[in-house]
Amino acid sequence: MPAPARKLMKIALLLLMLGGVYALAAHKHAQREEIRQATVTLTPDCLDKLEGYGLAPGDHYESPYVVQRTGARIPALGYSEDDVRAIQRGCNIVDDTQGRLAKDPGHERWNATRFIRGSHASCDHCHQGIGDKQDAAGNRLKGSLGLGASWVMADMYDRFTGLLLPFELRQMQCYINSSNGYKPNIADDVIRDVTAYSRFLSAALDLKIGNYYDEQGIDEIAASATLKQGDDYVRGEALYKQKCRHCHGPQAFGLEANGQLVAPALAGPNAWNMQSRNYFYYVSTILPGFICRNMPPAQENTLSNQECRDIAYYISNLPRPAGDRQGPLIALRQQVLMSVLPPLVRLTESPRRGPLPAPPAPENRQ
């Protein structure tokens, strides 16, 4: 074959490949646009949450929560139909990240599980109350990781990286570490929709940009907030068996029943990794604060600061995945531990007769 003909064939092949890539990109773009325009089927909790906050398309928005709490009517810029669908999808992602309630997870949750290893991680496990935890009287709770309060902090100094991180990049850290997963693209609709939902919460609660609110972040518990007894594995194990194993399982690998997640994993392959801020050896103040403010369910704030630190210390000594900075050898070691230790612990545990005793009645110890 003459040289000019070979060159023309190479050029034609290259153009054909580029055309195929373009056609695939156009197809994916059309799919994304179709999902953006589709009617969103809300989870039951999201339906109650968004109806309670009066979400609807219109030129103006007025929060029923603000009217009820203060009597003031504060008009704000309204939401288009596209905005409403993005907020609804964001609520679904926070409430049901794994898409367990969805008939078609790819369409109804924008496939958030693309970025998550394991089958337990969900935004709502940390950002409880679908990112807006309140008591029965509607009061927002201190240290409850409110998404609306987090959004109004805007660019926020991160003491772990030394960088000013916008809300979107803080979400990425959740996927990488707290969910032991992968970093989404900054333009991905998973990031876009959760941001839209968080921004809507800030409007529904009348939170102001740049202000600090008690529900923003975790009410951390440092060792200086205890009687200086030291963090103790044995005390933590005893407390875990008494307060936590009924929900999270004897080895903290989570509990599922009839295909439904009862309580998420605190250790093992479905838990957060060694680079997460929940990991006691990485940050020793965040997990104890979360435990004290949110656990056990319906008995919040009944554990002492020392008890919360002991439980967090015990949990973090259980096997879990390596983080993104640990390297392949530590990752391999953790995989071996997660495979070998659980059956060994089951063999060495003393047999129990009958079901586990019921959790003790709450007692206010703080």
Side-chain angles (χ1 to χ4, degrees):
M1 183 181 291
R6 286 200 302 270
K7 287 184 178 179
L8 286 175
M9 285 187 64
K10 290 180 180 178
I11 292 172
L13 182 60
L14 179 61
L15 290 175
L16 186 63
M17 292 173 60
L18 291 175
V21 171
Y22 176 81
L24 178 63
H27 173 68
K28 293 293 185 182
H29 180 79
Q31 276 188 328
R32 182 173 70 172
E33 193 59 32
E34 179 186 354
I35 293 171
R36 284 179 171 178
Q37 299 301 321
T39 301
V40 180
T41 303
L42 289 167
T43 66
D45 288 342
C46 279
L47 182 63
D48 291 342
K49 174 74 70 177
L50 297 180
E51 280 187 350
Y53 282 153
L55 175 65
D59 295 332
H60 301 284
Y61 171 73
E62 192 174 89
S63 170
Y65 177 88
V66 175
V67 173
Q68 181 182 12
R69 302 281 293 182
T70 67
R73 296 184 175 275
I74 305 174
L77 186 65
Y79 299 97
S80 68
E81 292 185 357
D82 285 345
D83 293 334
V84 169
R85 287 192 294 269
I87 293 166
Q88 290 173 332
R89 289 193 300 268
C91 185
N92 279 348
I93 291 169
V94 175
D95 185 38
D96 184 28
T97 313
Q98 295 283 345
R100 288 172 179 260
L101 302 178
K103 294 179 180 178
D104 184 350
H107 281 68
E108 296 184 39
R109 304 296 181 280
W110 194 244
N111 198 12
T113 51
R114 288 176 296 160
F115 307 111
I116 297 175
R117 297 183 181 97
S119 59
H120 286 198
S122 178
C123 306
D124 195 44
H125 294 157
C126 292
H127 303 280
Q128 296 188 355
I130 323 179
D132 177 33
K133 188 175 183 180
Q134 300 175 4
D135 63 17
N139 299 307
R140 306 192 300 273
L141 302 179
K142 183 177 182 179
S144 59
L145 282 172
L147 287 176
S150 182
W151 186 84
V152 298
M153 291 297 289
D155 291 353
M156 181 174 163
Y157 174 73
D158 179 62
R159 71 179 190 265
F160 303 99
T161 61
L163 301 172
L164 277 175
L165 296 181
F167 184 74
E168 292 80 1
L169 291 184
R170 301 205 299 275
Q171 282 187 62
M172 287 186 181
Q173 288 188 323
C174 287
Y175 281 102
I176 297 169
N177 299 320
S178 297
S179 299
N180 186 37
Y182 313 95
K183 181 174 71 173
N185 186 294
I186 190 66
D188 197 284
D189 277 14
V190 166
I191 300 291
R192 171 183 179 268
D193 293 343
V194 172
T195 301
Y197 172 65
S198 303
R199 182 175 181 268
F200 170 72
L201 285 180
S202 71
L205 302 172
D206 191 32
L207 308 180
K208 306 301 182 184
I209 289 285
N211 286 3
Y212 176 80
Y213 297 92
D214 283 345
E215 65 268 30
Q216 196 274 325
I218 288 289
D219 189 21
E220 300 180 32
I221 295 178
S224 58
T226 69
L227 297 177
K228 307 295 181 63
Q229 296 177 355
D231 306 314
D232 190 276
Y233 179 91
V234 175
R235 289 198 307 260
E237 181 182 22
L239 285 164
Y240 178 86
K241 289 180 177 178
Q242 182 186 19
K243 301 282 187 178
C244 314
R245 68 178 287 165
H246 314 279
C247 294
H248 295 284
Q251 298 184 51
F253 277 23
L255 188 61
E256 296 186 61
N258 300 321
Q260 298 296 318
L261 185 64
V262 177
L266 308 178
N270 290 315
W272 62 82
N273 63 36
M274 295 169 66
Q275 198 62 33
S276 170
R277 297 173 188 186
N278 290 331
Y279 185 51
F280 190 88
Y281 285 100
Y282 184 47
V283 190
S284 67
T285 56
I286 290 179
L287 184 57
F290 180 84
I291 292 171
C292 268
R293 295 288 168 253
N294 297 283
M295 295 291 139
Q299 300 179 35
E300 296 90 341
N301 298 298
T302 60
L303 296 169
S304 70
N305 290 344
Q306 184 64 64
E307 287 174 326
C308 293
R309 287 188 62 89
D310 290 340
I311 293 172
Y313 182 66
Y314 167 73
I315 289 171
S316 292
N317 274 282
L318 299 174
R320 67 185 59 255
D324 59 336
R325 298 181 184 177
Q326 268 76 44
L329 292 180
I330 295 180
L332 177 61
R333 182 195 70 186
Q334 294 304 112
Q335 289 294 330
V336 171
L337 288 176
M338 287 189 292
S339 302
V340 172
L341 278 186
L344 289 179
V345 171
R346 282 195 294 269
L347 287 173
T348 57
E349 278 187 332
S350 58
R352 288 180 174 270
R353 294 182 178 178
L356 291 171
E363 46 182 313
N364 196 346
R365 303 183 64 175
Q366 291 203 154

